[in-house]
């Protein structure tokens, strides 16, 4: 997929998981909004979701995911799989163009409309038009710095915002404690 929408990044490090995104909304070649918030806390802050792609599609998927979370409140992977199945089979949902990154204390997942539910081996996930830049920066900072998860997310998104024209540096970053001590 060719995303011209945003950049979302998640990093697990030092007993924390952080997820962040930029605030740019682009319509064609115009920046329509610079301070959109594409990161949302769900289940009383136990789960954080970010989306890249069409804003309306992202919000529609976010609502559907929240419903699945309520059906499976202590099982984020199950809620993600149920959404992915629905996304693949529902005629209306199949047309939605967005990707969700979902994190909780134990899991980091990427959900796509092709039915993918991906969990990274290194605790780093990125999506969106600047996702490749943010991912590369985050992996380098994980190996070569003492920055926290949230600091890595912020620095990596700033780097991506300096390269990708569909990503700005008006950032939203959220963090959760997690049992991992990586």
């Amino acid at each position: 997929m060719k995303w011209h929408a945003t950049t979302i990044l998640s990093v697990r490090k030092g007993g924390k998981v952080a997820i962040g995104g930029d605030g740019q909304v682009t319509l064609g070649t115009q920046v329509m909004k610079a301070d959109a918030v594409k990161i949302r806390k769900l289940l009383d802050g136990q789960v954080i979701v970010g989306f890249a792609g069409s804003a309306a599609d992202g919000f529609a998927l976010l609502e559907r995911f929240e419903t699945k979370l309520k059906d499976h409140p202590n099982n984020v992977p199950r809620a993600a799989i149920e959404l992915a199945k629905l996304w693949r089979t529902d005629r209306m949902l199949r047309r939605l163009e967005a990707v969700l990154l979902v994190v909780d204390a134990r899991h980091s997942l990427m959900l796509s409309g092709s039915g993918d539910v991906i969990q990274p081996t290194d605790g780093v996930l990125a999506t969106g038009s600047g996702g490749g830049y943010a991912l590369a920066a985050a992996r380098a900072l994980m190996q070569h710095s003492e920055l926290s998860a949230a600091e890595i997310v912020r620095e990596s998104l700033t780097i991506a915002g300096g390269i990708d024209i569909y990503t700005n540096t008006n950032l939203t970053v959220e963090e959760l404690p997690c049992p991992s001590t990586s």
Side-chain angles (χ1 to χ4, degrees):
M1 286 185 220
K2 199 169 186 182
W3 294 110
H4 298 297
T6 197
T7 302
I8 305 293
L9 174 68
S10 174
V11 171
R12 282 183 182 273
K13 183 179 180 189
K16 303 270 185 169
V17 60
I19 185 169
D22 75 302
Q24 186 163 301
V25 175
T26 308
L27 183 59
T29 59
Q30 294 180 331
V31 175
M32 301 304 289
K33 184 172 175 121
D35 60 352
V37 178
K38 302 166 197 166
I39 305 293
R40 297 284 189 272
K41 289 184 176 183
L42 305 176
L43 279 185
D44 298 321
Q46 296 175 52
V47 177
I48 307 173
V49 180
F51 66 86
S54 163
D57 292 355
F59 283 120
L61 289 166
L62 202 60
E63 288 175 11
R64 298 270 185 345
F65 182 67
E66 190 167 23
T67 300
K68 295 298 179 189
L69 271 176
K70 289 176 182 173
D71 293 342
H72 308 283
N74 295 317
N75 195 340
V76 170
R78 174 74 188 271
I81 289 168
E82 293 300 320
L83 176 63
K85 288 192 311 192
L86 180 64
W87 198 348
R88 284 280 288 166
T89 58
D90 184 276
R91 277 177 99 180
M92 187 199 81
L93 290 180
R94 251 195 321 248
R95 299 170 197 247
L96 299 182
E97 296 181 4
V99 172
L100 299 180
L101 293 190
V102 177
V103 299
D104 73 354
R106 296 179 316 215
H107 305 95
S108 293
L109 303 171
M110 178 186 292
L111 288 73
S112 79
S114 59
D116 297 319
V117 177
I118 300 166
Q119 185 166 2
T121 56
D122 64 356
V124 182
L125 277 174
T127 191
S129 61
Y133 307 119
L135 181 67
R139 285 184 173 159
L141 290 170
M142 290 269 295
Q143 289 184 355
H144 302 288
S145 79
E146 297 300 319
L147 296 175
S148 70
E151 291 168 330
I152 289 172
V153 167
R154 191 168 296 284
E155 288 299 318
S156 299
L157 288 171
T158 299
I159 290 167
I163 299 169
D164 178 53
I165 63 170
Y166 297 104
T167 302
N168 69 14
T169 55
N170 188 346
L171 308 177
T172 301
V173 178
E174 297 286 350
E175 190 175 53
L176 290 173
C178 63
S180 171
T181 58
S182 62

